[in-house]
Amino acid sequence: MNIRCVAAMLLTLSGVPVYAAGDAGRGAELYEARCTGCHSLDANRVGPLHRGVVGRRAGSVTDFAYSPALRKSKLTWTEANLDRWLANPEALVPGQKMGYSVAEAVDRADLIAYLRRETSTP
Amino acid sequence: MSKIIVAQPAPLARRNFLGQAGGVLLSATAISLMAGCETMAQSSNKSESQDVAILNTALGLEHEAINAYQLGAESGLLDKGVLDVAVKFQGDHKAHRDALIATIQKLGGKPVMEMKLGDYAKALKADTLKSQTDVLALAAKLEMGAINAYLGVIPAFKSGDLAKVSGRLAADETLHWTVLSQALGRPLPGKALSFGA
């Protein structure tokens, strides 16, 4: 990476508020726009249902046909693992079948905050 | 909505809708997509099987879309003009399905099966649909979801040809979404680059 790219990155980062916890409200909008094509909170669709996913064992929703890779992954959906999954599912679990990724760290943090909120509100 | 002109004559569309999908048109589409895949012959097995996994996820979306339109059509909530358009769009999704199945099989994969109509009805909460507007809004939401999904998986494909197929599917869904949101009287997206973000 050349110095201009690094500078641009730093500038971008400095312009962004710190999202340590993530904004669940914004996450809800992102979820609606990007995830609901395949997922719902309470029903298995093309992807597994999401309510309760934070802290859940990966590939553990009954009645959902996971890829063998995710089912056998032995991962737990900690926030850190969710972040890695959303950034690049194939890098975290080679052979997975989601394929969809979220490029921006801020967006991932907000999505995860939303998933965490919905995990505790049935 | 009834002012929208659908190229396919309505009685034929209706027949396709209720019975089998129109074979000639669909297999032509499938063949053209498969032809696009010929150049992938040399790609490695591992990247092919990754691509097949994503194609199967796409196929799952098409199964859901076909069934969602079926639920809408059977709801009795749609006017004739709207029903004709729904039938046309369902036909497009059937063509997508058949093209995806052909491509998955050509790559040595096993296409995912459709679930039962009742399972889709439950997952999509079809029992909450009370008016034509409700049906159109659900269809628009699913089409938007599919647009974003198809655009979003493009970088995951190892094969550029398959990435292009994903883009073409997104284009068809965008057409559907545009018509549906006009029928709902919704405004056009305020900003450029609103899809796939």
Side-chain angles (χ1 to χ4, degrees), chain A residues 14-118:
Chain A
S14 67
V16 169
V18 181
Y19 276 85
D23 174 346
R26 184 170 173 273
E29 286 167 27
L30 290 171
Y31 187 83
E32 179 67 22
R34 302 196 194 177
C35 314
T36 57
C38 297
H39 291 280
S40 291
L41 285 175
D42 295 306
N44 289 328
R45 289 177 47 221
V46 172
L49 62 83
H50 270 154
R51 196 180 305 280
V53 72
V54 179
R56 188 164 81 196
R57 180 79 176 266
S60 66
V61 171
T62 45
D63 299 337
F64 183 80
Y66 288 97
S67 64
L70 189 60
R71 194 163 19 88
K72 293 184 199 143
S73 70
K74 299 203 168 84
L75 285 173
T76 296
W77 290 127
T78 60
E79 296 190 18
N81 280 336
L82 282 168
D83 186 63
R84 291 163 72 203
W85 170 258
L86 292 176
N88 188 342
E90 185 63 21
L92 182 66
V93 182
Q96 55 73 44
K97 62 173 185 178
M98 175 156 118
Y100 189 90
S101 55
V102 180
E104 303 293 332
V106 170
D107 294 347
R108 295 196 299 273
D110 291 349
L111 282 161
I112 293 164
Y114 170 72
L115 290 173
R116 189 184 344 98
R117 190 183 78 188
E118 295 307 315

Side-chain angles (χ1 to χ4, degrees), chain B residues 40-180:
Chain B
M40 300 184 321
Q42 292 111 326
S43 64
S44 82
N45 279 341
K46 181 151 178 286
S47 52
E48 266 185 14
S49 69
Q50 277 170 27
D51 282 355
V52 165
I54 313 292
L55 287 173
N56 256 324
T57 295
L59 178 56
L61 280 172
E62 296 298 340
H63 285 320
E64 185 184 75
I66 291 163
N67 281 276
Y69 279 107
Q70 190 68 32
L71 290 165
E74 289 179 4
S75 70
L77 296 168
L78 303 184
D79 299 341
K80 163 114 181 50
V82 173
L83 180 61
D84 289 345
V85 176
V87 164
K88 201 275 175 210
F89 289 177
Q90 190 194 41
D92 290 350
H93 288 293
K94 286 180 173 175
H96 295 167
R97 171 198 63 195
D98 292 357
L100 286 166
I101 289 175
T103 307
I104 290 164
Q105 285 173 339
K106 201 171 158 54
L107 293 171
K110 192 166 161 285
V112 291
M113 301 292 290
E114 193 175 27
M115 301 188 301
K116 290 197 285 291
L117 186 64
D119 295 335
Y120 290 104
K122 237 171 90 189
L124 298 173
K125 301 197 178 112
D127 58 334
T128 62
L129 301 174
K130 301 290 180 226
S131 65
Q132 172 161 296
T133 301
D134 291 346
V135 174
L136 291 174
L138 173 65
K141 182 175 146 71
L142 293 176
E143 296 285 6
M144 175 60 93
I147 295 165
N148 288 329
Y150 280 131
L151 294 173
V153 299
I154 284 177
F157 282 111
K158 299 286 179 262
S159 152
D161 290 328
L162 291 179
K164 177 177 166 186
V165 169
S166 199
R168 292 178 66 198
L169 292 167
D172 276 1
E173 320 305 33
T174 308
L175 186 153
H176 296 170
W177 177 84
T178 306
V179 170
L180 292 165

